[in-house]
Amino acid sequence: MNVLIVDDEEDIGLMVSMFLKKKGISVDYADRITKAKNMIQAHAYEVYFLDLNLPDGTGFDLMDDIRNASEGAKVIIISAYDGVVETRRAAEMNIDHFIKKPFTKKQIIDAVNA
């Protein structure tokens, strides 16, 4: 399984990467939308972890790229922003899971395995 984590907080990216790598999952990490778009074009991933608040946009900005590159891929939002607007938009975009920060290792693993 290949996973892309997009989060501008490096410690969050490293922590989630560590959780997944211990389960034998291949992980790439991007801290910006522009970097993530290049990675998505170069490689199809099966699972995407997206933060909503990034310096150059939101995780939602990647959804067209993800759907075009990896049809059927699982998309998981990890964000401190979990208000009505964000959760409604996530539902409209068919996001598979919405995990609120702070999160647990179990939530990450369960979301990937669901």
Side-chain angles (χ1 to χ4, degrees), residues 15-95:
M15 182 173 38
V16 174
S17 293
M18 185 178 62
F19 293 163
L20 299 175
K21 285 179 180 178
K22 285 184 177 180
K23 295 290 184 182
I25 297 170
S26 174
V27 180
D28 288 330
Y29 169 74
D31 62 354
R32 300 284 188 274
I33 296 290
T34 51
K35 183 177 179 182
K37 284 185 179 216
N38 291 332
M39 295 172 82
I40 292 166
Q41 289 175 359
H43 185 79
Y45 297 91
E46 296 165 288
V47 179
Y48 295 85
F49 282 92
L50 308 176
D51 186 14
L52 291 184
N53 189 24
L54 298 158
D56 58 346
T58 76
F60 293 134
D61 296 334
L62 291 169
M63 289 306 297
D64 285 340
D65 296 274
I66 290 169
R67 296 299 185 215
N68 289 332
S70 307
E71 189 176 324
K74 186 179 296 188
V75 179
I76 303 162
I77 298 291
I78 301 178
S79 184
Y81 298 92
D82 66 338
V84 172
V85 172
E86 291 84 7
T87 54
R88 183 179 304 137
R89 188 164 180 203
E92 290 168 357
M93 296 182 107
N94 295 319
I95 303 294

